[in-house]
């Protein structure tokens, strides 16, 4: 069995624990360890990083091309609609090539994903040129994001591509934000909600849909990215909401911090619920989001309320003591579980 150095340490530690507990004897431990073959260089990770860098360079090259008016006029000396059709054909070619390679060489996962990503990149350029061609001055770009969401969703689902599915969820969030902004006349409120509250609801609905559709998403390897995006939308919106509340920017400057306290408590409660669920289910993603955004909440509140008035030593000392008490209580429960 081929393993990395890190995996070898975990396996050996597990086998040593089993030997000490009497699950296996020393001879069986030695026999199992002899079946491990350590890879001195992680070529799989090298392949992934190389494709990431290559795609980043390609994006920079495309961005430089788009910014260069002379080259754009030289290569695409057509109207917006003709450019859109050309870019769509290029995107379709990449999608067909990517699906063909997935069928013929499914083991070349990173190169197949890179080809589908190029299709997604040219799809975004197609949508941009299509928007320029159909622009009537209304400022309603939401249908373009919805079209992109449909294209990325179909490609990501059929191709089992988490990367393209990520584009779908980003386009869906963009559609929600631009459509509510358009219907509100690009004002601060839509149905009495500013943007942070809207995206708290959006993130919550996306998480609920993710768990309702967990089985098909798991079958297509799309559950993890869906859950991560739902949590990201939810927590970033809660963080912004804890700073600005449901106020317009002009009004917010005259609002006292105490009037925003309930939003901060809601932010902390959401992080705490994530941590609690992760401890019961051993969900690393929930634990990571909960701990990260709980820390962000604490630091944000500190800079808002206590930076100017409280001695820094006292503040962080109290914070350290409180976290140490939580850790001590958790250690007691852990030791009881071991016994």
């Amino acid at each position: 069995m081929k393993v990395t150095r890190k995996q070898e340490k975990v396996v050996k530690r597990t086998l040593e624990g089993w030997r000490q507990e009497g699950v296996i004897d020393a001879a069986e431990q030695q026999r199992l360890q002899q079946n491990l073959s350590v890879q001195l260089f992680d070529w799989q990770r090298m392949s992934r990083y190389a494709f990431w860098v290559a795609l980043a360079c390609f994006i920079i090259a495309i961005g430089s091309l788009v910014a260069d008016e002379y080259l754009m006029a030289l290569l695409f000396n057509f109207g917006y609609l003709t450019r859109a059709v050309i870019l769509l054909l290029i995107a379709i070619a990449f999608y067909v090539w990517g699906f063909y390679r997935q069928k013929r060489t499914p083991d070349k996962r990173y190169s197949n994903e890179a080809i589908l990503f190029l299709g997604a990149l040219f799809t975004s350029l197609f949508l941009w040129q299509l928007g320029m061609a159909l622009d009537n001055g209304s400022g309603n770009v939401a249908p373009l994001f919805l079209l992109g969401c449909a294209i990325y969703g179909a490609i990501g689902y059929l191709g089992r591509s988490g990367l393209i599915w990520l584009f779908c969820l980003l386009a869906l969030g963009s559609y929600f934000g631009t459509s509510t902004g358009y219907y509100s006349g690009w004002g601060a409120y839509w149905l009495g909600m500013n943007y942070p509250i809207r995206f708290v609801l959006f993130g919550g609905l996306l998480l609920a849909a993710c768990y309702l559709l967990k089985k098909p998403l798991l079958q297509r390897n799309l559950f993890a990215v869906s859950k991560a995006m739902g949590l990201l939308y939810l927590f970033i919106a809660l963080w912004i909401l804890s700073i600005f509340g449901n106020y317009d920017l002009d009004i917010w400057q005259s609002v006292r911090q105490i009037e925003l306290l309930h939003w901060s408590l809601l932010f902390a409660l959401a992080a705490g619920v994530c941590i609690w669920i992760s401890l019961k289910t051993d969900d690393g993603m929930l634990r990571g989001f909960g701990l990260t955004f709980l820390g962000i909440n604490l630091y944000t509140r500190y800079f808002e309320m206590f930076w100017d008035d409280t001695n820094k030593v006292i503040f962080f000392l109290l914070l350290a003591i409180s976290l140490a008490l939580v850790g001590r209580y958790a250690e007691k429960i852990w030791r009881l579980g071991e016994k």
Side-chain angles (χ1 to χ4, degrees), residues 88-160:
L88 178 61
L89 292 175
I90 296 174
I92 291 173
F94 276 116
Y95 289 140
V96 172
W97 185 22
F99 281 125
Y100 174 77
R101 281 177 56 91
Q102 278 189 341
K103 187 176 181 180
R104 293 293 300 271
T105 55
D107 54 309
K108 296 180 178 179
R109 184 160 59 93
Y110 298 127
S111 57
N112 295 341
E113 282 275 302
I115 293 170
L116 290 177
F117 174 81
L118 291 176
L121 178 61
F122 279 97
T123 299
S124 64
L125 294 174
F126 151 71
L127 293 171
W128 168 47
Q129 292 297 304
L130 181 63
M132 297 293 289
L134 301 179
D135 185 18
N136 58 5
S138 67
N140 185 15
V141 296
L144 291 174
F145 285 116
L146 185 61
L147 176 60
C149 178
I151 295 173
Y152 296 140
I155 298 299
Y157 188 82
L158 294 174
R160 301 172 183 265

Side-chain angles (χ1 to χ4, degrees), residues 254-268:
S254 60
V255 174
R256 294 181 302 166
Q257 291 296 331
I258 194 65
E259 297 179 40
L260 302 173
L261 182 60
H262 57 291
W263 298 119
S264 303
L265 293 176
L266 177 64
F267 186 20

Side-chain angles (χ1 to χ4, degrees), residues 171-182:
L172 182 62
S174 301
Y175 165 73
F176 176 75
T178 53
S179 62
T180 57
Y182 177 75

Side-chain angles (χ1 to χ4, degrees), residues 50-62:
F51 276 114
W52 284 356
V53 174
L55 289 174
C57 293
F58 191 82
I59 292 172
I60 294 172
I62 293 295

